[in-house]
């Protein structure tokens, strides 16, 4: 009985399938490569059902020339990192600066897995080395900065929840009204007689007292306390602590943040 060209093609494919080494692939190559590596080549079946040279590198899923066993021999693994370290102290005392926390890589990404997230995070802070009983101003900024800070921060189970403190402003300098740049507009919401809400978030907590500097904890009732606006040394004044709120519900206006 005569056999057509189709039969011959099927027979050839069967011979290739049964031929020694036709299923070599990535397992026989014994390695998986980063990026596009033309030296990371084996032989075997490809996703398009063709047979021949095939690859075991990260780029092969996009170029559609992986070996048939690439998913099993080179499984995808995303980066894994450790938990955040504790926050460091402020980089410099007695001035607005930053503190740092870090984490390290536990597992590098492999075979197209997700890249590693940032391994270092900085947060604004102010820390004073002082004699017992000395007073320093609270350093504050707009509450909008807190939203950005929360997005950047990766919360940890051992982080203390923040809190809010309400103050009534008693005096304010004219310097708070003189800034025209976009990052000083928030200072115009500071007015004498107004009650403001200031949030203490985890990055600003002192590691020893677990309070934000200048929050007025431990002071006498109706004691005048000093504050200063971050980014404008001419914007400062005094206020009286009204109460502490362990559950924050600061309004969008008259809402600020300890640094």
């Amino acid at each position: 009985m005569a056999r057509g060209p189709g039969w011959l093609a099927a027979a050839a494919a069967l011979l290739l399938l049964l031929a020694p080494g036709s299923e070599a692939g990535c397992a026989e190559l014994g390695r998986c490569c980063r990026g596009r590596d033309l030296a990371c080549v084996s032989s075997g079946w490809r996703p398009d059902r063709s047979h021949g040279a095939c690859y075991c590198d990260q780029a092969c899923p996009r170029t559609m020339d992986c070996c048939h066993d690439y998913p099993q021999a080179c499984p995808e693994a995303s980066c894994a990192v450790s938990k955040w370290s504790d926050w460091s102290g402020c980089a410099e005392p007695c001035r607005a600066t930053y503190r740092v926390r870090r984490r390290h890589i536990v597992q590098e990404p492999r075979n197209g897995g997700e890249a590693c997230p940032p391994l270092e995070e900085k947060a604004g802070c102010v820390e004073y080395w002082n004699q017992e009983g000395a007073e320093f101003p609270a350093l504050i900024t707009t509450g909008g900065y807190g939203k950005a800070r929360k997005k950047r921060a990766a919360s940890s189970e051992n982080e203390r929840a923040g809190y809010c403190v309400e103050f009534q402003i008693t005096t304010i300098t004219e310097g708070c009204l003189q800034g025209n740049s976009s990052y000083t507009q928030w200072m115009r919401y500071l007015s004498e007689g107004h009650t403001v809400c200031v949030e203490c978030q985890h990055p600003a907590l002192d590691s020893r007292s677990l309070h934000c500097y200048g929050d007025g904890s431990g002071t006498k009732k109706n004691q005048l306390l000093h504050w200063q606006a971050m980014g404008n040394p001419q914007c400062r004044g005094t206020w009286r602590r009204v109460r502490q709120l362990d559950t924050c519900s600061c309004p969008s206006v008259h809402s600020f943040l300890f640094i």
Side-chain angles (χ1 to χ4, degrees), residues 148 155 170 188 209 233 255:
S155 61
T170 52
R188 297 178 180 273
S209 68
S255 175

Side-chain angles (χ1 to χ4, degrees), residues 26-206:
C26 299
E28 184 166 305
L29 181 65
R31 62 193 182 106
C32 305
C33 310
R34 293 184 177 183
R36 184 54 170 170
D37 187 347
L38 296 180
C40 198
V41 62
S42 183
S43 63
W45 292 99
R46 296 187 289 263
D48 62 1
R49 302 308 302 157
S50 61
H51 190 277
C54 59
Y55 294 86
C56 305
D57 57 21
Q58 288 180 334
C60 72
R62 296 193 301 273
T63 54
M64 295 296 291
D65 55 5
C66 295
C67 296
H68 65 281
D69 63 343
Y70 177 78
Q72 293 76 36
C74 304
E76 179 181 295
S78 297
C79 178
V81 296
S82 66
K83 292 184 178 180
W84 285 111
S85 67
D86 293 333
W87 286 100
S88 70
C90 292
E92 297 180 51
C94 305
R95 56 168 294 182
T97 178
Y98 63 89
R99 62 180 66 190
V100 181
R101 65 177 180 177
R102 297 181 175 89
R103 54 188 173 185
H104 61 271
I105 296 174
V106 176
Q107 175 181 282
E108 294 279 358
R110 298 195 308 269
N111 309 321
E114 290 187 17
C116 294
L119 301 178
E120 181 177 284
E121 183 177 57
K122 293 182 179 180
C125 72
V126 61
E127 184 173 70
Y128 297 108
W129 299 350
N130 59 301
Q131 296 180 348
E132 189 70 26
E135 293 183 15
F136 294 94
L139 196 64
I140 62 171
T141 188
T142 173
Y145 174 76
K147 295 178 182 178
R149 176 191 275 174
K150 287 178 179 178
K151 288 181 180 179
R152 291 194 305 269
S155 61
S156 172
E157 293 180 0
N158 61 356
E159 287 187 356
R160 182 190 187 281
Y163 59 92
C164 291
V165 183
E166 290 183 353
F167 296 92
Q168 185 178 36
I169 296 178
T170 52
T171 63
I172 185 171
T173 60
E174 293 184 1
C176 298
L177 303 176
Q178 294 174 355
N180 294 319
S181 61
S182 58
Y183 67 88
T184 61
Q185 291 295 316
W186 64 272
M187 300 176 191
R188 297 178 180 273
Y189 291 108
L190 295 163
S191 301
E192 288 185 14
H194 282 177
T195 298
V196 296
C197 184
V198 189
E199 185 175 358
C200 177
Q201 292 180 354
H202 178 81
L205 286 170
D206 175 63

